[in-house]
Amino acid sequence: MRKKYYEYRHVVGFEETNLVGSVYYADYVRWQGRCREMFLLEHAPDVLDELHDDLKLVTVESEYEHLAGIAAFDEVSIRMRLERLTQSQISFAFDYVRVREGAEELIARSRQRVVCMRGVNGALTPARVPPQLRAAVEGYAVAPATYPMTTGTGGRA
C-alpha cells in the first residue's frame, strides 16, 4: 500500500542544536528542502537535468509552525504531500514527526508554494510544471492532514 506522503528521515546532529540543545527553525526549512530534493531524485530525475539547464523552482511563499522541541539524536520523519497543483505552481505541505521507540509525535508543520520558471532572454518567466514532475507529485495528492494549521501558536518563516 502506498503512503499518502513522501517521507525523508533525518537524525538530528549536535551541529544542528544551539547552546541549550534546541534546534533552530531554519534547520526545519533546510530539511524541507532536502526532502524535496530527495523526492526529485527518486521520482522525477529528469527534472534534475532541467534544473541544470533553464528550469528554476522558485519558492514564493513559505510558512512554518513549531509545536514541540527536539534535540540531538532525535529521529525526525519529514513527510511531504501535495496540497495544490496548477499549470505553473506546486503547493506542498510538510509534517515533521519525531519517531521514538515506535511512537510518533508531530513537532512542526509547514507549507511551501513553488513556481516553475524558465530563463527567457535573461529574464525568468512562469513555465508549466514539467510532465514528469506533475505525474510524480500527483501521486502524493491528499486531503489536508487531520491536524489543520492554526493561527496564534508557533512562528512563521
Side-chain angles (χ1 to χ4, degrees), residues 29 48 66 72 97 117 123:
V29 175
L48 295 175
H66 183 83
V97 178
M117 309 280 278

Side-chain angles (χ1 to χ4, degrees), residues 74-101:
D74 278 342
E75 182 176 6
V76 179
S77 168
I78 298 95
R79 298 173 179 175
M80 181 182 81
R81 66 186 186 284
L82 172 67
E83 280 198 325
R84 186 164 186 246
L85 178 63
T86 68
Q87 288 196 15
S88 64
Q89 298 185 23
I90 307 169
S91 294
F92 296 104
F94 296 86
D95 294 328
Y96 302 81
V97 178
R98 177 183 14 227
V99 180
R100 182 185 295 159
E101 298 174 6

Side-chain angles (χ1 to χ4, degrees), residues 32 61-65 109-112 149 155-157:
Q32 173 180 296
E61 184 177 17
S62 181
E63 64 182 55
Y64 167 83
E65 183 179 16
R109 55 188 157 214
S110 66
R111 288 192 167 111
Q112 179 184 72
M149 294 285 277
R156 294 183 189 264

Side-chain angles (χ1 to χ4, degrees), residues 25-94:
Y25 80 91
D27 286 306
Y28 291 80
V29 175
R30 189 170 45 81
W31 301 337
Q32 173 180 296
R34 182 72 172 162
C35 179
R36 198 176 75 180
E37 291 169 2
M38 293 296 97
F39 175 82
L40 290 173
L41 181 64
E42 292 177 31
H43 297 284
D46 290 347
V47 174
L48 295 175
D49 293 333
E50 291 187 58
L51 287 169
H52 291 305
D53 191 16
D54 67 340
L55 177 67
K56 308 292 182 237
L57 299 178
V58 179
T59 300
V60 294
E61 184 177 17
S62 181
E63 64 182 55
Y64 167 83
E65 183 179 16
H66 183 83
L67 302 170
I70 56 174
F73 305 111
D74 278 342
E75 182 176 6
V76 179
S77 168
I78 298 95
R79 298 173 179 175
M80 181 182 81
R81 66 186 186 284
L82 172 67
E83 280 198 325
R84 186 164 186 246
L85 178 63
T86 68
Q87 288 196 15
S88 64
Q89 298 185 23
I90 307 169
S91 294
F92 296 104
F94 296 86

Side-chain angles (χ1 to χ4, degrees), residues 116-137:
C116 292
M117 309 280 278
R118 292 205 184 263
V120 177
N121 298 326
L124 289 177
T125 59
R128 290 186 178 270
V129 174
Q132 186 185 27
L133 179 55
R134 177 175 291 281
V137 298

